[in-house]
Structures are given as structure tokens and as C-alpha cells.
Amino acid sequence: MDEGKALLLGAELFRSVASEERPVWIGGILESVLAATQLDFMGFGQRMVTICREESAWGTAESLFLELRRGSLRSEGERAPVECAMVDLLEVAAKVVFNASGARPGFDPHAGARVLPLVWHIMRLIDQGPAQEEALRHVEEALWRGAKKGR
């Protein structure tokens, strides 16, 4: 799958998840990706998962996004490609969750279309060891959980 096709499929997948379900959906994806990669940039992944689980915390995703952006810009040149992709996924997650909170002004409403391409990219970058196939299965299940259309 090329990046353009992944983005088109990602947009379709994102649209198929009800807006009020998107934080829970993306929280499940983050949990799966964190488990598969064992990579949590400065603890932001777990913090984002915690925010996703609690509707009353969704509005705090904006401050997490800003804190993540500041931290990631300082260390950008020092990170491996998989870490850069993980930071991008965390930023998209923060945007999606903040938007679901209903607070204004919101982030780009189409940011969630990048979830599938970023997850696809991350999974291509991780070690090709025997655990990768199981990790991919868990991530794929998380991606489709919450989608109206399914597969």
C-alpha cells in the first residue's frame, strides 16, 4: 500500500467512526501501537491513552498536544524514524480527542485521516521479528474497532 492509498483509506475509516467514539477508538489504537513498539515518547503515549478513557479529560488534549510539540521540536534531529512517526501519531490523537471534547477553536477536523497511514508507517518501521505478526493483528483489530462499516 502506498502513502496516498493509505491516506484515502484512512479518511474513509476515520469518517466511519462516530465523532463521540473517536477518543475511545484512538485510545485503543494507541494502546496497541505502544504495546507493539514498546516506544512511548517521554510518557506521552500513556498520558494520551489515559485522556482517551475519560470523557471529562478530553479537553486537556490540547495542552498535551502543545507540551508534546514543544518537547518533540527540541529533540527532532535526535530521534529515529519510528519515534518521529510515533510523535506524529500522538499529535493526531491529541487533535482528534480535543475536537471530540467540543471545545473551540478545534484542530483540523480531518486530522484523524492520518491515523491509518501513520500506524501503517510505524508498523513497517518496527523490528521484523516473530512478534510483529501478532502485534500487527492487535493493531489492525484496534483500527477497525468502532468503525461502522467494518471490513
Side-chain angles (χ1 to χ4, degrees), residues 39-120:
L39 178 66
D40 187 358
F41 182 74
M42 297 170 48
F44 282 99
Q46 270 313 127
R47 288 173 59 197
M48 191 68 243
V49 167
T50 301
I51 290 170
C52 291
R53 289 182 181 151
E54 184 57 49
E55 185 174 352
S56 64
W58 293 353
T60 66
E62 179 184 38
S63 61
L64 187 125
F65 171 86
L66 296 171
E67 186 182 343
L68 175 61
R69 178 61 60 95
R70 281 190 300 274
S72 67
L73 290 176
R74 281 194 295 268
S75 64
E76 192 170 32
E78 303 164 7
R79 287 184 275 129
V82 70
E83 292 174 309
C84 292
M86 180 63 81
V87 168
D88 289 346
L89 179 61
L90 290 169
E91 287 182 356
V92 166
K95 289 176 179 182
V96 168
V97 173
F98 182 73
N99 286 348
S101 76
R104 296 288 172 243
F107 288 104
D108 169 18
H110 306 292
R114 294 190 56 225
V115 171
L116 178 63
L118 285 167
V119 169
W120 173 72

Side-chain angles (χ1 to χ4, degrees), residues 6-7 9-11 13-14 22 25-26 29-30 33 85 88-90 92-93 96 110-122 139 142-143:
L7 189 56
L9 289 171
L13 175 62
F14 182 65
R22 289 174 179 167
W25 171 74
I26 204 158
I29 293 167
L30 287 175
V33 172
D88 289 346
L89 179 61
L90 290 169
V92 166
V96 168
H110 306 292
R114 294 190 56 225
V115 171
L116 178 63
L118 285 167
V119 169
W120 173 72
H121 183 63
I122 289 166
V139 170
L143 276 165

